[in-house]
């Protein structure tokens, strides 16, 4: 049928990113030289192998039945009609895999499949794995699965989630983690400030939207007890360890093989297709493939956190920052993912590249029934940047000074100390950068 | 049902269902995995092919509709050892990052340069406007197309086949 059937070993390393050095001139130094990208030839000819380009003879196709409500107890799941669809090989529900454990990047709070009596917490939760001879059969069977649920209050706002009477999305409550930041005497400094400005900022969900959706192929070598998974990840060894603990295998029984990745931008830090693929491969003994549609990728996998930022900033008459108080409330959605790290990292960067002697901050990463939020370029700092740069502009206008001058007065220099106590002992070119921007943009002062 | 299509110069007779997408026919039945799927909804251009001389989102074309069509995919341009000048320009300009959009970008560039051998930057942007890239920010892709236009001009008109 297909012209492209390759042998297993063809998929191991031949086509991955770092295996060729064509075009790289023998040179010890790279900075300042034009270096051609090693895998560009594969990519311009269409030869590069991405996860969904891998196929095996005798391969089965997987579809996932997902949650039918963002916050509900699963009462019953009926797969009897779905099983009768021609071409269906296996439909796996939670009771088929009683030993499988939860997974997650920082906190292992994500179930592999929701069992009756347990809760679905967002629309991406998986209820069943459908394995069939064709994609069409798997899809048809998926749509015939019947589910009964008991609906619970859907929490979409982290401030609601933090209220005392809000239902707990996870057993330990809705605040995943709280961090504090303290330096100097903030109250005293505000009292002595010429201007104090307090504002509330809100950022939104953003999908990282790599061009390639999550996809993968898996194969179980029963004789050696090893499962091979070809799928994208940004944390090869963490993914391997998480998949292994979830399936109660040792790490050397799980091989994650990284094909060419069609973009990630943080979205592919989390486990996506991996565990479902492994389970299906081990149960059926045949190669299996699972490709998310764009819609499924958007519903199921991580987002950039929407963060509410409340900034209170003081300045003296000469335009120097005196005190900064900040609060970060990050909506991490149904599962923690990288949220505990992202939200507090955002808070530690609350003052941006500006010196401020007195600081007080608190951050909460909060569960809701939204799609979970995780890593995306900047890891919390992009949200913070929106808020602190607005503060700087507003203060400059109130002081009636040039916003660029105001920034230059307060900008980090060598030996500045960041909010988390790091001294910048190496080169800091922030001042130079602002000056260059002023020059290039023919800056006229920006006063009201 | 049976259809006949010419893909990258070779005539193929294929058995398809009325619902088979041209995209799946090319990728799964013919093994032309350089044709990518990014959205399945005609929005992103990753599945771009040249069909009867026009840029076409293969995810939106039911295979029977491609009966008798002439189709060019990225595999029909050049090989790793013998790149088409457009492909060569993408490599040299550093226009390739994750690469997932690149087959579509290369074909959109081909279609553009076939019609306008000396495009302005604005025309290049317009010519590529059906193709999304999430990695590069487009600047180097546009450089690559301009570079390709120069290369093709030097090589002469017969390279535009
Ligand atoms: S996959 Fe066809 S346009 Fe996106
Ligand atoms: S190079 Fe990654 S999407 Fe264009």
């Amino acid at each position: 049928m297909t012209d492209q059937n390759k042998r297993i070993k063809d998929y191991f390393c031949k086509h991955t990113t770092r295996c060729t050095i064509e075009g790289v001139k023998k040179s010890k130094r790279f900075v300042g030289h034009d270096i051609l990208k090693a895998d560009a030839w594969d990519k311009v000819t269409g030869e590069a192998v991405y996860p969904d380009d891998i196929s095996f003879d005798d391969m089965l196709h997987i579809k996932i039945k997902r949650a039918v409500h963002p916050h509900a107890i699963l009462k019953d799941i009926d797969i009897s009609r779905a099983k009768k669809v021609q071409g269906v090989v296996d439909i796996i529900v939670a009771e088929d895999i009683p030993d499988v454990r939860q997974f997650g990047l920082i906190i292992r709070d994500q179930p592999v499949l929701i069992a009756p009596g347990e809760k679905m917490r967002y629309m991406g939760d998986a209820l069943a794995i459908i394995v069939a001879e064709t994609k069409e059969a798997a899809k048809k069977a998926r749509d015939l699965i019947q589910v009964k649920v008991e609906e619970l209050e859907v929490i979409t706002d982290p401030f609601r989630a933090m209220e005392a009477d809000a239902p707990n999305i996870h057993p330990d409550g809705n605040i995943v983690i709280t961090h504090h930041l303290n330096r100097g005497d903030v109250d005293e400094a505000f009292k002595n400030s010429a201007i104090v400005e307090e504002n509330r900022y809100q950022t939104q969900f953003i999908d990282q939207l790599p061009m390639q959706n999550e996809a993968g192929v898996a194969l179980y070598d029963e004789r050696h007890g090893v499962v091979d998974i070809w799928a994208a990840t940004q944390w090869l060894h963490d993914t391997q360890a998480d998949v292994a603990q979830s399936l109660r295998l040792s790490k050397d029984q799980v091989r994650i093989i990284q094909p060419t990745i069609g973009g990630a931008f943080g979205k592919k830090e989390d486990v996506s297709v991996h565990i479902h693929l492994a389970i299906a491969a081990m149960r059926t003994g045949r190669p299996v493939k699972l490709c998310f549609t764009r819609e499924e990728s958007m519903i199921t996998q991580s987002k950039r956190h929407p963060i509410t930022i409340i900034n209170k900033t003081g300045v003296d008459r000469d335009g120097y920052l005196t005190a900064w108080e900040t609060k970060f409330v990050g909506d991490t959605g149904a599962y923690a993912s990288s949220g505990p790290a992202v939200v507090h990292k955002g808070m530690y960067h609350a003052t941006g590249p500006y010196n401020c002697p007195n600081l007080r901050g608190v951050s909460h990463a909060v569960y809701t029934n939204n799609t979970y939020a995780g890593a995306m370029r900047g890891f919390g700092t992009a949200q913070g940047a929106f808020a602190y740069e607005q503060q700087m502009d507003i203060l400059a206008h109130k002081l009636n000074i040039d916003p660029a001058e105001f920034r230059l007065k307060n900008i980090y220099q060598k030996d500045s100390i960041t909010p988390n106590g790091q001294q910048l002992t190496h080169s800091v070119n922030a001042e130079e950068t602002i000056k260059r921007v002023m020059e290039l943009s023919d800056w006229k002062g920006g006063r009201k | 049902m049976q259809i006949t299509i010419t893909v990258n110069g070779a005539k193929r007779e294929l058995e398809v269902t009325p619902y088979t997408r041209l995209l799946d026919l090319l990728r799964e039945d013919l093994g032309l995995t350089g044709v990518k799927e990014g959205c399945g909804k005609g929005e992103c251009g990753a599945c771009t092919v040249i069909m009867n001389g026009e840029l076409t989102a293969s995810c939106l074309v039911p295979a029977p509709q491609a009966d008798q069509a002439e189709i060019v995919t990225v595999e029909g341009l050049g090989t790793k050892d013998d790149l088409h000048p457009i492909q060569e320009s993408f490599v040299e300009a550093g226009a390739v990052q994750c690469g997932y959009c690149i087959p579509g970008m290369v074909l959109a560039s081909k279609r553009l340069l076939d019609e306008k051998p000396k495009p302005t930057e604005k025309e290049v942007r317009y010519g590529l406007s059906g193709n999304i890239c999430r990695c590069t920010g487009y600047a180097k892709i546009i450089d690559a197309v301009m570079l390709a236009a120069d290369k093709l001009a030097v090589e002469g008109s017969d390279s535009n086949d």
Side-chain angles (χ1 to χ4, degrees), chain B residues 23 36-48 57-60 130:
Chain B
L23 171 65
K36 300 297 179 202
E37 176 168 4
C39 67
K41 293 204 156 60
E43 300 283 350
C44 73
C47 66
T48 298
S58 63
C59 69
L60 292 184

Side-chain angles (χ1 to χ4, degrees), chain B residues 10-161:
Chain B
K11 205 167 195 174
R12 312 289 298 242
E13 290 196 358
L14 296 155
E15 196 51 44
V16 299
T17 75
Y19 335 97
T20 311
R21 301 180 300 176
L22 178 60
L23 171 65
D24 298 323
L25 185 76
L26 295 170
R27 283 179 54 81
E28 290 166 18
D29 295 33
L30 300 180
L32 298 168
T33 50
V35 190
K36 300 297 179 202
E37 176 168 4
C39 67
K41 293 204 156 60
E43 300 283 350
C44 73
C47 66
T48 298
V49 298
I50 298 176
M51 181 162 131
N52 298 329
E54 291 302 324
L55 284 186
T56 305
S58 63
C59 69
L60 292 184
V61 179
Q65 215 167 293
D67 193 17
Q68 307 303 328
E70 182 124 1
I71 290 162
V72 180
T73 71
V74 74
E75 288 90 344
L77 290 198
T79 60
K80 263 162 70 172
D81 302 323
D82 183 21
L83 294 180
H84 185 280
I86 295 174
Q87 292 168 314
E88 206 175 82
S89 303
F90 270 69
V91 174
E92 287 168 9
V96 179
Q97 288 191 28
C98 85
Y100 206 74
C101 69
I102 295 298
M105 288 288 183
V106 166
L107 289 170
S109 308
K110 165 113 174 51
R111 171 71 183 77
L112 171 75
L113 295 175
D114 282 351
E115 189 181 296
K116 292 198 171 83
K118 278 190 171 23
T120 62
E121 189 194 314
K122 204 168 163 193
E123 285 167 337
V124 173
R125 287 181 182 274
Y126 188 77
L128 302 181
S129 61
N131 295 71
I132 296 175
C133 175
R134 285 290 286 168
C135 299
T136 63
Y138 303 101
K140 290 188 176 178
I141 291 182
I142 291 160
D143 292 350
V145 182
M146 297 305 240
L147 179 62
D150 291 346
K151 284 189 188 229
L152 288 164
V154 172
E155 279 189 20
S157 54
D158 58 348
S159 60
N160 263 357
D161 62 342

Side-chain angles (χ1 to χ4, degrees), chain A residues 71-360:
Chain A
H71 199 198
I73 298 169
L74 178 62
K75 285 297 189 190
D76 185 52
I77 177 161
D78 179 1
I79 58 170
S80 55
R81 285 179 64 204
K83 273 201 136 157
K84 291 194 192 115
V85 172
Q86 203 192 345
V88 168
V89 173
D90 198 3
I91 298 183
I92 304 156
V93 293
E95 64 181 20
D96 298 320
I97 50 164
D99 294 333
V100 168
R101 287 189 283 219
Q102 299 194 146
F103 65 97
L105 266 183
I106 295 176
I107 299 171
R108 289 184 177 140
D109 59 357
Q110 290 188 249
V112 172
L113 288 174
I114 309 292
E118 288 176 358
K119 286 200 303 186
M120 50 200 86
R121 300 183 178 89
Y122 81 122
M123 296 304 283
D125 270 327
L127 308 185
I129 306 166
I130 301 97
V131 194
E133 299 286 350
T134 62
K135 277 185 279 185
E136 293 70 28
K139 210 156 123 188
K140 193 168 169 197
R142 178 195 65 193
D143 295 342
L144 286 171
I145 293 177
Q146 280 164 337
V147 174
K148 286 204 189 86
V149 300
E150 180 190 325
E151 297 185 2
L152 303 169
E153 179 189 336
V154 178
I155 300 177
T156 56
D157 175 2
F159 286 89
R160 168 64 187 141
M162 290 194 288
E163 285 171 4
D165 68 336
N168 277 352
I169 295 169
H170 288 270
D172 294 335
N174 293 337
I175 298 182
V176 186
I177 197 160
T178 296
H179 278 272
H180 295 278
L181 172 68
N182 272 302
R183 186 204 293 169
D185 189 339
V186 171
D187 297 320
E188 189 60 27
F190 277 137
K191 238 185 277 167
N192 299 325
S193 297
I195 297 172
V196 176
E197 184 61 32
E198 182 172 345
N199 292 296
R200 180 184 170 120
Y201 301 91
Q202 180 65 53
T203 69
Q204 77 280 39
F205 275 104
I206 295 178
D207 195 295
Q208 303 86 336
L209 218 110
M211 282 298 285
Q212 197 209 349
N213 293 321
E214 294 75 5
V217 178
L219 200 62
Y220 184 51
D221 173 354
E222 207 173 341
R223 208 153 61 92
H224 299 98
V226 173
V227 60
D228 291 328
I229 304 168
W230 287 260
T233 164
Q234 292 180 253
W235 292 104
L236 196 68
H237 300 94
D238 284 9
T239 301
Q240 179 201 28
D242 205 10
V243 172
Q245 71 77 27
S246 173
L247 299 173
R248 296 181 193 260
L249 298 173
S250 64
K251 280 199 267 181
D252 59 5
Q253 290 177 286
V254 177
R255 266 197 292 194
I256 313 277
I257 301 131
Q258 180 89 288
T260 308
I261 307 182
F265 320 128
K267 196 180 180 79
K268 291 173 184 166
E269 291 195 5
D270 301 274
V271 164
S272 58
V273 293
H274 310 76
I275 298 175
H276 293 150
L277 276 171
I279 291 170
M282 291 169 81
R283 270 177 63 102
T284 60
R286 287 172 61 179
V288 290
K289 183 172 193 167
L290 170 54
C291 303
F292 285 4
T293 61
R294 176 62 66 190
E295 192 181 8
E296 194 170 18
S297 167
M298 284 199 174
I299 291 171
T300 309
Q301 296 301 126
S302 86
K303 302 281 171 283
R304 175 176 274 170
H305 285 78
I307 303 184
T308 308
I309 300 165
I310 300 162
N311 272 338
K312 183 174 170 186
T313 311
V315 279
D316 65 20
R317 220 166 299 281
D318 300 326
Y320 290 99
L321 294 173
T322 53
W324 199 302
E325 185 172 14
T326 193
K327 182 172 184 174
F328 272 57
V329 177
D331 178 356
T332 207
Y335 297 103
S337 178
S338 308
V342 168
V343 182
H344 91 258
K345 184 166 158 49
M347 175 187 68
Y348 280 130
H349 288 265
T351 59
Y354 306 111
N355 289 306
C356 185
N358 302 292
L359 304 165
R360 182 159 63 215

